């Protein structure tokens, strides 16, 4: 019998965690649990918490651990997380890593941490150059994957491409510093306990995906 796992994708902002988590979901049916996406959804609400989250996110800093954990716990208790699932963007601090140990025990699923490693100068251009189509969500990059017509989607010529408010140069600097300070130490934490795999993230998404798939092995059979 195969055992369900919690796949943790660790990597700096722009490393490609979201891209890989989406591929794991669409090809293997492993749900993508993205704290960033959940917070982006949450900040649209008209509540004091939503306003606070919006303020924190637009500064490039981290939402408090307790708020983040509550959201992850609620989301992972849904039916689709019965088998293996991917955490994309969680944990991001030592406290969150501790919280995840508790969750892992409660659910009886071991953690497999995968570090998607990308040099910092590439991350800067991936983030500050990132633009997306508001209609289909297609992601472009002004440095690496420019649209045919500057500023507009190839498939939706009427749709002006958008930039995430935290992808500006100033915010990217804070986000990368936040990663170095709070999240990077988690690599040593998972390495020490023999649960860390590292993949070279400075390649095309398909090459990275193939390696990920072989690392997580039979996880799909557990869903
Ligand atoms: P992301 O889309 O993963 O880059 O996340 C966007 C923003 O959401 C981050 O810059 C944080 O403000 C917030 N966020 C996402 N995940 C977490 C987390 N695990 N802990 C705290 N804040 C988070």
């Amino acid at each position: 019998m195969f055992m369900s796992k919690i796949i943790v994708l660790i990597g700096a902002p722009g490393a490609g965690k979201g891209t890989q988590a989406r591929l794991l979901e669409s090809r293997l049916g492993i749900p993508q649990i993205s704290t960033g996406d959940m917070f982006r959804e949450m900040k649209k609400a008209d509540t004091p918490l939503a306003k606070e989250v919006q303020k924190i996110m637009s500064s490039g800093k981290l939402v408090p651990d307790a708020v983040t954990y509550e959201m992850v716990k609620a989301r992972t208790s849904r039916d689709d997380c019965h088998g293996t699932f991917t955490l994309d963007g969680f944990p991001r601090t030592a406290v969150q890593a501790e919280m995840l140990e508790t969750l892992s025990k409660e659910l009886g699923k071991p953690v497999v941490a995968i570090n998607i490693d990308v040099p910092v100068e590439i991350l800067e251009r991936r983030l500050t150059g990132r633009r997306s189509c508001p209609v289909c969500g297609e992601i472009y990059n002004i440095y690496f994957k420019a649209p045919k017509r500057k500023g507009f989607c190839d498939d939706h010529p009427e749709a002006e491409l958008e930039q995430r408010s935290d992808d500006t140069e100033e915010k990217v600097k804070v986000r990368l510093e936040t990663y170095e300070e709070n999240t990077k130490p988690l690599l040593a934490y998972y390495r020490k306990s023999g649960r860390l795999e590292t993949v070279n993230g400075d390649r095309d998404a398909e090459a990275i995906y193939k390696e990920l798939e072989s690392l997580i092995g039979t996880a799909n059979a557990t869903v």
Side-chain angles (χ1 to χ4, degrees), residues 35-36 39-40 57 61-63 68 89-90 92 96 164 166 175:
T35 43
F39 284 134
R40 270 184 287 282
M57 284 181 86
K61 301 221 170 96
L62 295 178
V63 176
T68 307
F90 181 92
R92 257 168 149 111
Q96 291 181 13
R164 249 171 71 168
D166 58 355
R175 288 164 68 204

Side-chain angles (χ1 to χ4, degrees), residues 63-71 95-96 99:
V63 176
D65 292 328
V67 175
T68 307
Y69 184 58
E70 210 174 297
M71 192 177 68
V95 172
Q96 291 181 13
M99 290 166 156

Side-chain angles (χ1 to χ4, degrees), residues 48-195:
L49 180 62
K51 292 212 168 65
E52 181 64 18
V53 165
Q54 177 160 28
K55 213 166 87 194
I56 296 169
M57 284 181 86
S58 63
S59 73
K61 301 221 170 96
L62 295 178
V63 176
D65 292 328
V67 175
T68 307
Y69 184 58
E70 210 174 297
M71 192 177 68
V72 169
K73 204 165 150 51
R75 176 64 188 86
T76 55
S77 68
R78 293 202 342 224
D79 281 355
D80 62 337
C81 293
H82 187 68
T84 295
F85 57 83
T86 305
L87 291 176
D88 158 15
F90 181 92
R92 257 168 149 111
T93 66
V95 172
Q96 291 181 13
E98 281 299 323
M99 290 166 156
L100 179 59
E101 301 295 11
T102 306
L103 187 68
S104 157
K105 284 196 193 95
E106 277 172 18
L107 299 176
K109 298 180 213 264
V111 168
V112 180
I114 302 177
N115 169 29
I116 306 184
D117 190 37
V118 179
V120 72
E121 55 285 1
I122 307 247
L123 293 171
E124 278 163 3
R125 282 192 292 166
R126 278 197 189 172
L127 292 163
T128 58
R130 179 160 66 178
R131 304 286 185 275
S132 67
C133 171
V135 178
C136 62
E138 180 67 18
I139 311 251
Y140 295 89
N141 187 292
I142 59 169
Y143 303 111
F144 305 121
K145 189 192 166 199
K148 291 193 186 96
R149 181 170 151 239
K150 194 177 166 193
F152 292 87
C153 180
D154 293 349
D155 296 327
H156 301 93
E158 74 292 350
E160 199 165 344
L161 298 180
E162 292 176 343
Q163 182 178 36
R164 249 171 71 168
S165 64
D166 58 355
D167 276 347
T168 58
E169 218 168 294
E170 178 200 353
K171 306 282 169 57
V172 162
K173 191 165 171 286
V174 178
R175 288 164 68 204
L176 291 175
E177 283 166 2
T178 304
Y179 171 77
E180 286 287 322
E181 196 178 315
N182 299 286
T183 312
K184 209 172 172 188
L186 298 185
L187 298 179
Y189 174 78
Y190 286 115
R191 190 177 295 117
K192 259 193 215 146
S193 50
R195 293 178 292 173

